[in-house]
């Protein structure tokens, strides 16, 4: 099933659209979440964050754009972690 079809089903409230998105993109979303968190959360919290991405997709289906929704939802649901001592460089 094409991504546009999955999103169309999601927008119409069809759970098959969400299931198809999760089947196709859960491994990718999980990898992105883990790369952002860099081990700063437990595995269970990482799995919950990945699940939150798909919950956000369901809740915001009307606003999702093919090819961009994953990044938008991941960064909305993943707290960015900065290394200790991170400082902003001033111009």
């Amino acid at each position: 099933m094409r991504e546009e079809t999955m999103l169309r089903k999601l927008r119409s409230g069809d759970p098959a659209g969400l299931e198809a998105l999760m089947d196709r993109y859960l491994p990718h979303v999980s990898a992105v979440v883990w790369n952002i968190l860099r081990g700063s959360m437990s595995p269970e919290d990482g799995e919950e964050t990945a699940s939150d991405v798909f919950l956000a997709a369901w809740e915001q289906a009307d606003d999702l754009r093919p090819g961009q929704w994953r990044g938008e939802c991941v960064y909305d649901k993943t707290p960015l972690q900065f290394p200790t001592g991170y400082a902003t460089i001033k111009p």
Side-chain angles (χ1 to χ4, degrees):
M1 184 182 311
R2 295 173 45 122
E3 186 175 51
E4 294 84 4
T5 304
M6 290 183 245
L7 293 177
R8 190 174 339 104
K9 286 180 177 280
L10 200 66
R11 286 184 194 107
S12 71
D14 185 347
L18 180 61
E19 184 177 345
L21 282 176
M22 291 182 76
D23 286 347
R24 179 169 297 166
Y25 296 115
L26 184 60
H28 173 77
V29 167
S30 295
V32 172
V33 166
W34 282 112
N35 283 330
I36 292 170
L37 297 176
R38 292 186 176 91
S40 65
M41 294 179 116
S42 70
E44 293 81 12
D45 288 338
E47 290 172 7
E48 184 174 339
T49 301
S51 294
D52 287 346
V53 169
F54 291 97
L55 177 60
W58 178 261
E59 292 173 344
Q60 302 167 14
D62 290 336
D63 299 326
L64 302 182
R65 296 173 292 183
Q68 296 180 330
W69 71 269
R70 292 182 308 278
E72 293 167 351
C73 289
V74 166
Y75 285 101
D76 284 348
K77 293 296 175 186
T78 306
L80 297 178
Q81 303 293 317
F82 294 101
T84 304
Y86 176 82
T88 303
I89 300 173
K90 297 179 181 177

